[in-house]
Amino acid sequence: MRHALVFVDEGPADVALGARGGTFAECASWPGAEAAAALLQAGWERLQDRRNMERLHEVGRALASEQNLDRLLDLILTQARGLLKAEAGSIYLMTGEGTDGKLLFAHTQNARLSLPFHRVLLPVSRETLAGFAALTRESLNLPDVYRIPEEAPYRFNDSFDRQAGYHTVSALVVPMQDTEGEVLGVLQLLNRQEEDGRAGAFSDGDRNLAQSLAGQAAVAVKNAQLREEIERLFEGFVAASVTAIEARDPVTSGHSGRVADLSVGLAEAVNATPNGAYGGLVFTPRQLRELRYASLLHDFGKVGVREQVLVKAKKLEPAQLELILQRLRQRELEEALQTLAAAWKGGGGFDLWERAAQDRQTETERLMHLVRQSNEPTVLPQEVAEGLGLLGDLTFTHWSGEQRPVAGTAELATLSIRKGSLSETERLEIESHVTHTFRFLQRIPWTRDLAGIPAIAYAHHERLSGGGYPRRLTEPEIPVQSRAMAIADVYDALTAQDRPYKGALSPERSLAILEEEAKGGALDPGLLDLFIAARVFERTVRQA
């Protein structure tokens, strides 16, 4: 206080006592030494209280701005040690409930020593300083931890002092209670630093200040823990959703995870590239997590697509193919019987019938090969398409006695699909999974930093040229996260080895196709350049 005092000649009073930056005691005339000292002491205490309140407000604002629990614990200790001039400090967090409760040695700081730190679980016992404070909700202000009264139930654990060559003198141990009185942990401060550098005792004012700070810290810790619980909940929900998607469409198992790895990898490549088309764009950790969730859930709408369409590997369903082949074989036998009857009526020999039957069998095998070839999801050759026209004229005898076509109009149309295995109706049904995904994700009450997930997933099949689906958005309307996901999605589809309707392409061939798509205006050329230059595609080489 002596160092802070200045005497001034001017002011509202004849005699004023104050500190730089403000007067804290004044009187109209000199009251005498004893009264002046009392005024000075009272004013000084008011000034200190005001300063402490200001610093507590600053600490509160700082704690409220940090949501990561580990960084928050470090910040709490830094602020507490600075506010109370403590050389060292530790934070213990309560874990478990009831008799299963434990104290987690969660964080520590020491201005004198730098030692490796390991988190350990400790029993909650009244015999330890932290355990006593947690169980009784009482603060401990110990001027000398090695001179604790014999009747006290707790003792100081000097193992750290012995192992590290440290000497603990004073300790201030305060329970961290939230607004509901629940003890979330314990704040322990050691060795109050005096001006001469020696370790002194903490005052009652220090204890009151520490209790106020511990209350703020408890609220901040609880908020951070709740946030972590919410994040774990979302992680579990996303993992369960991906499991549901892959159970519905086991053919593409692992696709969602690979797309997430590639999408986040591409976003990280954007962060690492200060120049180029996206040089000014930086994704925050929260945005990266948002992109990861959106990528993992981008195909969730497939649960709303019929299973026979979703997993359709060939143009016809197995039962449909079997029926057509059976009808061709039946037709062969019917014509063989007709030939045999005609041969008997005409007086022909068995050899004539046998040759005719062989010809019919050869024709049937040719037609069956034509059907099988047409049923493959590859590009339909012109000669095969023309051969299907002949199939439409063939009939067989139904059990009712009617003559019916071997392949109906719908079956012929399905076999005539020029590329792939899906009809136009089925293709639209598959494409509807994007809308199903959006509607599903839109119903989830995402936290504020995850609110963009539905929109990002909704646009992953859109193309910059406007040729995508379902909304045919153009470049300005497509989020950059969705553009990144589009590249990841197409690349994984091209290189995947688990698709029964197509073979896996090499990374080189797949990248060449992506470059063609970018040149055609479908994919983002700037992001694709980064995808290739940063070798993001290698993140899933072993998984593909």
Side-chain angles (χ1 to χ4, degrees):
M1 191 163 60
R2 279 198 310 273
H3 294 303
L5 288 177
V6 292
F7 292 90
V8 294
D9 295 329
E10 70 280 355
D14 294 332
V15 178
L17 297 174
R20 288 181 176 88
T23 299
F24 60 84
E26 61 181 47
C27 55
S29 59
W30 180 247
E34 186 175 345
L39 286 172
L40 185 62
Q41 182 67 30
W44 177 257
E45 290 176 355
R46 285 195 301 273
L47 178 63
Q48 290 296 93
D49 289 341
R50 185 167 65 251
R51 287 176 175 175
N52 287 339
M53 288 301 297
E54 291 172 354
R55 296 179 69 183
L56 277 175
H57 289 156
E58 292 174 3
V59 170
R61 286 193 293 270
L63 298 185
S65 65
E66 182 55 70
Q67 297 177 331
N68 178 275
L69 183 57
D70 289 333
R71 291 195 298 266
L72 176 64
L73 296 179
D74 188 68
L75 180 61
I76 290 171
L77 278 182
T78 299
Q79 296 287 354
R81 288 177 51 232
L83 192 61
L84 295 161
K85 298 181 175 60
E87 183 178 63
S90 302
I91 291 181
Y92 301 82
L93 295 180
M94 294 293 296
T95 64
E97 296 181 1
T99 56
D100 296 328
K102 301 282 186 182
L103 271 176
L104 173 66
F105 183 57
H107 202 69
T108 186
Q109 290 181 359
N110 193 308
R112 188 179 297 274
L113 298 176
S114 178
L115 297 173
F117 161 67
H118 303 285
R119 290 187 170 188
V120 292
L121 279 173
L122 305 170
V124 185
S125 169
R126 299 171 75 97
E127 296 178 0
T128 65
L129 303 184
F132 181 86
L135 290 172
T136 64
R137 292 178 167 78
E138 295 180 12
S139 298
L140 296 177
N141 187 359
L142 305 174
D144 189 340
V145 296
Y146 287 97
R147 295 183 178 180
I148 296 175
E150 288 294 330
E151 63 273 15
Y154 46 80
R155 285 292 176 268
F156 174 69
N157 184 343
D158 65 348
S159 59
F160 175 78
D161 280 11
R162 287 185 284 103
Q163 293 172 10
Y166 187 70
H167 181 64
T168 303
V169 178
S170 56
L172 183 57
V173 189
V174 182
M176 294 166 54
Q177 301 182 71
D178 64 10
T179 54
E180 297 176 355
E182 179 185 0
V183 176
L184 279 80
V186 175
L187 173 64
Q188 179 174 279
L189 300 172
L190 304 177
N191 288 0
R192 191 186 195 285
Q193 295 299 99
E194 301 296 344
E195 291 182 4
D196 58 7
R198 292 182 302 168
F202 293 96
S203 67
D204 290 340
D206 290 335
R207 181 189 58 195
N208 294 336
L209 193 57
Q211 288 173 338
S212 298
L213 188 147
Q216 290 183 327
V219 173
V221 166
K222 187 169 188 177
N223 289 339
Q225 289 176 333
L226 287 173
R227 185 177 183 83
E228 284 195 347
E229 289 176 6
I230 292 171
E231 289 178 357
R232 285 195 296 270
L233 175 65
F234 277 133
E235 285 283 348
F237 164 76
V238 171
S241 299
V242 171
T243 300
I245 297 168
E246 295 183 346
R248 191 80 163 83
D249 186 10
V251 165
T252 59
S253 178
H255 169 70
S256 296
R258 293 192 297 269
V259 170
D261 285 345
L262 293 171
S263 299
V264 173
L266 183 49
E268 290 173 343
V270 170
N271 286 354
T273 307
N275 46 32
Y278 290 101
L281 178 62
V282 175
F283 292 99
T284 66
R286 294 182 186 180
Q287 289 174 321
L288 291 176
R289 185 161 59 97
E290 181 183 56
L291 175 57
R292 176 172 164 267
Y293 283 176
S295 301
L296 287 170
L297 295 170
H298 76 282
D299 275 344
F300 189 83
K302 287 182 177 179
V303 298
V305 178
R306 288 179 300 148
E307 187 172 0
Q308 60 266 37
V309 175
L310 192 62
V311 300
K312 189 178 182 184
K314 303 293 180 70
K315 296 177 183 179
L316 293 175
E317 297 294 333
Q320 290 177 303
L321 176 64
E322 183 74 17
L323 191 58
I324 291 176
L325 297 179
Q326 179 61 38
R327 289 170 179 174
L328 285 172
R329 189 65 75 186
Q330 179 179 333
R331 176 180 174 276
E332 173 197 334
L333 295 176
E334 289 174 358
E335 290 188 342
L337 287 175
Q338 291 171 4
T339 302
L340 178 60
W344 281 346
K345 287 181 181 180
F350 187 77
D351 291 343
L352 177 64
W353 175 83
E354 193 173 37
R355 286 194 302 272
Q358 184 62 45
D359 291 342
R360 294 299 177 190
Q361 184 178 8
T362 301
E363 175 65 10
T364 298
E365 293 293 342
R366 186 185 71 80
L367 291 171
M368 293 174 75
H369 176 72
L370 175 70
V371 171
R372 290 192 183 97
Q373 188 178 7
S374 302
N375 194 43
E376 293 299 318
T378 54
V379 177
L380 190 66
Q382 182 62 34
E383 62 273 15
V384 176
E386 293 173 355
L388 286 174
L390 301 175
L391 190 65
D393 298 329
L394 303 181
T395 62
F396 74 104
T397 304
H398 188 253
W399 62 266
S400 63
E402 299 177 354
Q403 289 295 305
R404 295 190 178 180
V406 170
T409 304
E411 293 163 329
L412 285 173
T414 300
L415 288 172
S416 300
I417 295 172
R418 302 296 299 179
K419 184 179 179 181
S421 63
L422 300 176
S423 67
E424 181 64 15
T425 301
E426 291 169 335
R427 183 184 64 79
L428 291 175
E429 185 174 351
I430 286 288
E431 290 182 358
S432 72
H433 83 274
V434 181
T435 302
H436 290 315
T437 295
F438 176 70
R439 290 174 179 170
F440 167 75
L441 296 178
Q442 205 177 26
R443 296 179 67 88
I444 298 172
W446 300 103
T447 56
R448 186 177 304 172
D449 51 325
L450 298 176
I453 288 176
I456 294 171
Y458 199 15
H460 79 276
H461 272 298
E462 301 291 351
R463 298 295 180 258
L464 306 189
S465 58
Y469 64 87
R471 294 174 291 165
R472 298 195 175 278
L473 301 180
T474 55
E475 181 175 356
E477 302 169 291
I478 304 174
V480 65
Q481 296 96 322
S482 304
R483 303 183 197 184
M485 196 192 306
I487 292 173
D489 191 39
V490 174
Y491 177 80
D492 186 70
L494 292 172
T495 58
Q497 299 176 359
D498 50 12
R499 308 295 170 94
Y501 49 82
K502 59 172 281 298
L505 299 181
S506 66
E508 294 75 19
R509 177 59 185 145
S510 300
L511 292 175
I513 292 175
L514 289 176
E515 288 179 316
E516 291 172 8
E517 290 287 298
K519 289 177 182 177
L523 299 177
D524 190 307
L527 288 176
L528 182 57
D529 288 345
L530 283 175
F531 187 80
I532 297 173
R535 305 190 73 80
V536 176
F537 57 89
E538 292 182 346
R539 292 175 68 124
T540 59
V541 168
R542 294 182 180 179
Q543 303 176 40

